[in-house]
Amino acid sequence: MKIIVRDAPPRSVWALEKAGIHPLLAQLYAARGVLDPSELDAALAHLLPPTAMKGTAEAARLLADAIAADKKLCIVADYDCDGATACATAVRGLRLLGAKHVDYIVPDRVQDGYGLTAPISARVKASGADVLITVDNGIASFDGVAAARALGLQVLVTDHHLCASVNGQIALPDADVIVNPNQPGCSFESKSIAGVGVMFYVLLALRAELRQRGVFETQSAAGLPEGASTPIGSSAAHAVASVAANQTGPRLDTLLPLVALGTVADVVRLDANNRRLVAQGLKRVRALAMPAGLAALFVASSRDAAAATTFDFGFALGPRINAAGRLSDMTLGIECLLTDDPNRALELAKTLDNINRERREIEGNMREQALLVAESLFEDAAEAPAAICVFDPDFHEGVVGIVASRIKDKLHRPAFVFAPSGATGHSHELKGSGRSIPGFHLRDALDLVAKRHPGVLLRFGGHAMAAGCTIAEAHFETFEQGLAQVAQEWLSAATLQRRLDTDGPLKPEYRRVDLVDALHHEVWGQGFAAPTFSEEVEVVSQRLVGEKHLSLKLKHRGEPVDGIWFGRTEPLPARVKLAFRLDADSWRGERKVRFLVEAAELV
């Protein structure tokens, strides 16, 4: 492990401090590329306008016409947290905007696989729907979209995944309208927006279209939303601010807690626009202004909603929603997010919590077996192949992605984990999920494997850091060798060396509970990493707790501080360079700063 200190440009730090930002936060923000204080303004007025996203105007007209004609709308969701929150956002938002007939269908992970398929389109038609709307999927569903159109359905695709490539050319399904910031010709700057964010933007555009048609009674503005400096509607840049206004049409800011949850849970890069969406969602959650299902999930996971953080979204609520799609039926997760009955919400949240416990048990057993298989491929960690592929006939396809992530973290290699397909008639196929390391674009790698080994990849898709695919079991070795070859070509020795970017030494005066709370209050996540400090400390004493965690008594700058390294059992030397995050531990009513150790640089 090589511990690296991020560069915080002094000019940027100075500019942020002059704007009144705390020196510690100024250093952290500058090290993450923030150049101007305006980038930190989370006001809704600073969100990118919906008009910048290609297809939103056409989608708004299609939906407005459908609502006016009293057509039946059906959402085709995805079975992860982004898909679930996008579905709940779509259903709630469309109903708020006047749609009387809105339903949804969520594919079964095992039987249906990913995305809109022809059989799903047939089910949508059989439900009596007139308009099919995908959320968090559809951009590569050529057959499913074609089948839907052939059945007489109007099709609106909302997605954020990368477009498919056919014969080396970008290809799009023949939908009536496509809204995806990653489609050709889209100028929307936030290419990393989650699926739930795309749907939220479609709803903003729809409300503007309905307003233009005179559907809503015009009311005088009750005041500017936070962050707005001019009247709403005075410019395109401020049009989006009306999400929090009561000028015309229903308030859509009630959907922001769902948008925030899906954005964090999908681990998309938290660029400035995504951070604003998350910050606004967190603001409402902390004020306890959220759907009953979210409130119930905080209770079920023993988290305090009034002090909610992005970590709660990513490591408590998100996994519980995801567990439904992995082991059961994502309908449970979506219904939890849709219900307004607190009792029903709590019942569903507890069910999701139980499913998540089962998921953790299955994952734990699979992880141990997968690591044994992976480590059997080499004698020394330094000799590990450039990419790892693992398959076991006893693996469960619902948790292969989580296990791949664990292998990637432990071995610092792109990793794919496969399990037998449980779909009827597809027992000869393997479902795989992969996770990558910086410098290795996983979906592009799959594309190259598909070109070099035609017919091996039956289906594939995803992003740079996460992707999935389906292969025939007979082709596992070919895929394994093909991916390893691409990884060997693309990854250098330096890239394969594990490194951890940190914010350097922590000044003793910043080792305070109030600053810990201030840091936790900010928006951190993928592409905008939570603060991690690093420096040499003295290890006064150490002991194992719970048989698998290292409890530490440290001296930091000559002063005592407690530390904990979760998942570490090997002892540390008397002096060591540690990378650590800050936490506040409560003991007998007193809160004290504690170091959460992430890594050590050992010679």
Side-chain angles (χ1 to χ4, degrees):
M1 169 65 74
K2 183 68 174 176
I3 294 176
I4 308 296
V5 177
R6 297 184 180 92
D7 177 46
R11 187 182 296 273
S12 298
V13 175
W14 177 82
L16 295 173
E17 287 186 24
K18 292 292 287 183
I21 295 172
H22 188 282
L24 176 58
L25 283 171
Q27 173 199 333
L28 298 174
Y29 287 140
R32 285 153 182 78
V34 175
L35 303 176
D36 188 273
S38 64
E39 298 177 50
L40 303 173
D41 190 338
L44 289 166
H46 294 296
L47 283 176
L48 296 172
T51 51
M53 191 180 293
K54 183 179 179 180
T56 52
E58 293 84 353
R61 288 193 291 271
L62 184 153
L63 293 172
D65 289 344
I67 292 173
D70 204 24
K71 290 184 177 180
K72 295 181 179 180
L73 314 177
C74 184
I75 315 297
V76 176
D78 187 26
Y79 39 69
D80 67 356
C81 188
D82 186 20
T85 53
C87 181
T89 296
V91 173
R92 284 181 172 275
L94 288 168
R95 289 173 179 170
L96 278 172
L97 293 171
K100 296 177 181 178
H101 309 288
V102 186
D103 204 351
Y104 70 90
I105 287 177
V106 57
D108 181 272
R109 179 187 291 267
V110 175
Q111 297 300 330
D112 296 315
Y114 173 76
L116 175 66
T117 63
I120 293 174
S121 294
R123 283 158 55 190
V124 172
K125 180 64 177 179
S127 73
D130 303 299
V131 181
L132 185 158
I133 306 164
T134 71
V135 290
D136 192 31
N137 74 92
I139 197 63
S141 300
F142 301 99
D143 293 342
V145 170
R149 295 286 301 276
L151 291 169
L153 291 166
Q154 287 183 289
V155 179
L156 165 59
V157 168
T158 75
D159 202 351
H160 69 128
H161 293 92
L162 298 177
C163 301
S165 175
V166 177
N167 298 323
Q169 300 293 322
I170 297 296
L172 298 174
D174 187 24
D176 290 271
V177 180
I178 295 175
V179 183
N180 183 335
N182 289 300
Q183 67 177 308
C186 184
S187 61
F188 193 73
E189 294 177 12
S190 181
K191 300 298 184 183
S192 58
I193 192 170
V196 65
V198 174
M199 188 63 229
F200 181 67
Y201 266 79
V202 169
L203 293 170
L204 290 176
L206 172 58
R207 187 181 59 178
E209 175 69 19
L210 294 173
R211 180 183 298 140
Q212 185 176 356
R213 295 185 182 195
V215 173
F216 309 124
E217 292 183 3
T218 303
Q219 301 173 355
S220 59
L224 292 176
E226 179 183 339
S229 58
T230 56
I232 294 170
S234 62
S235 70
H238 281 285
V240 71
S242 61
V243 67
N246 196 28
Q247 184 183 13
T248 55
R251 295 169 61 104
L252 296 180
D253 63 329
T254 56
L255 304 173
L256 284 167
L258 295 172
V259 177
L261 171 58
T263 298
V264 173
D266 210 43
V267 202
V268 296
R269 186 173 67 86
L270 293 185
D271 58 22
N273 203 65
N274 280 338
R275 292 201 307 276
R276 290 184 179 111
L277 289 171
V278 173
Q280 289 291 337
L282 276 173
K283 176 182 176 181
R284 286 155 180 77
V285 168
R286 290 166 183 159
L288 306 184
M290 61 185 140
L294 277 190
L297 285 167
F298 273 97
V299 173
S301 57
S302 300
R303 301 295 179 109
D304 181 10
T309 69
T310 51
F311 293 97
D312 294 324
F313 284 163
F315 297 100
L317 276 65
R320 283 165 172 79
I321 295 289
N322 275 326
R326 296 186 189 283
L327 300 185
S328 183
D329 181 355
M330 184 49 89
T331 301
L332 289 169
I334 295 172
E335 285 300 310
C336 183
L337 300 177
L338 284 177
T339 183
D340 292 319
D341 181 346
N343 294 326
R344 174 65 174 156
L346 187 57
E347 177 186 342
L348 289 167
K350 288 180 178 178
T351 300
L352 292 171
D353 184 59
N354 290 333
I355 296 172
N356 191 51
R357 294 175 190 274
E358 180 186 355
R359 185 272 305 169
R360 284 202 298 258
E361 183 177 349
I362 294 173
E363 177 205 333
N365 295 334
M366 272 182 60
R367 182 175 65 245
E368 292 180 10
Q369 180 63 22
L371 284 171
L372 286 174
V373 174
E375 291 171 350
S376 70
L377 302 175
F378 50 88
E379 294 184 1
D380 185 86
E383 300 174 357
I388 305 289
C389 290
V390 177
F391 161 65
D392 189 283
D394 293 327
F395 283 174
H396 190 295
E397 64 180 282
V399 295
V400 288
I402 300 175
V403 176
S405 180
R406 302 294 188 265
I407 294 177
K408 179 266 298 181
D409 290 341
K410 184 175 178 63
L411 300 177
H412 194 62
R413 295 291 191 276
F416 252 94
V417 176
F418 287 88
S421 172
T424 304
H426 294 270
S427 58
H428 63 291
E429 294 178 355
L430 303 182
K431 295 283 189 66
S433 187
R435 298 295 183 269
S436 194
I437 61 175
F440 191 76
H441 196 296
L442 205 53
R443 188 201 169 278
D444 286 355
L446 291 180
D447 190 46
L448 183 53
V449 172
K451 288 182 172 67
R452 290 178 173 178
H453 305 278
V456 168
L457 282 160
L458 302 177
R459 290 175 294 279
F460 71 92
H463 300 289
M465 304 303 289
C469 68
T470 301
I471 64 174
E473 183 174 348
H475 290 154
F476 174 75
E477 289 188 5
T478 303
F479 174 83
E480 180 181 29
Q481 294 167 3
L483 185 67
Q485 179 63 36
V486 174
Q488 187 174 4
E489 295 169 6
W490 288 6
L491 293 170
S492 65
T495 308
L496 289 172
Q497 181 184 26
R498 187 190 303 273
R499 55 175 281 168
L500 179 63
D501 292 323
T502 73
D503 297 290
L506 176 72
K507 294 182 179 179
E509 59 266 31
Y510 295 158
R511 200 179 56 238
R512 305 198 318 259
V513 169
D514 63 321
L515 280 179
V516 173
D517 291 339
L519 291 180
H520 286 180
H521 190 271
E522 300 300 309
V523 174
W524 312 104
Q526 181 70 25
F528 206 77
T532 302
F533 304 94
S534 61
E535 60 187 300
E536 189 173 287
V537 298
E538 179 183 347
V539 179
V540 178
S541 66
Q542 50 191 310
R543 63 186 179 88
L544 283 180
V545 293
E547 299 183 355
K548 55 182 179 180
H549 310 304
L550 195 60
S551 178
L552 302 164
K553 297 290 184 182
L554 307 170
K555 273 196 174 181
H556 172 253
R557 307 287 184 101
E559 299 176 1
V561 62
D562 291 339
I564 183 79
W565 192 340
F566 293 111
R568 169 87 180 195
T569 57
E570 298 85 359
L572 294 171
R575 292 197 67 84
V576 62
K577 184 177 183 179
L578 296 180
F580 55 90
R581 293 187 290 111
L582 296 180
D583 188 33
D585 188 37
S586 297
W587 175 251
R588 294 180 178 177
E590 181 183 3
R591 299 181 72 220
K592 296 171 56 179
V593 173
R594 178 176 67 167
F595 289 177
L596 300 181
V597 180
E598 296 283 309
E601 192 171 84
L602 302 172
V603 179

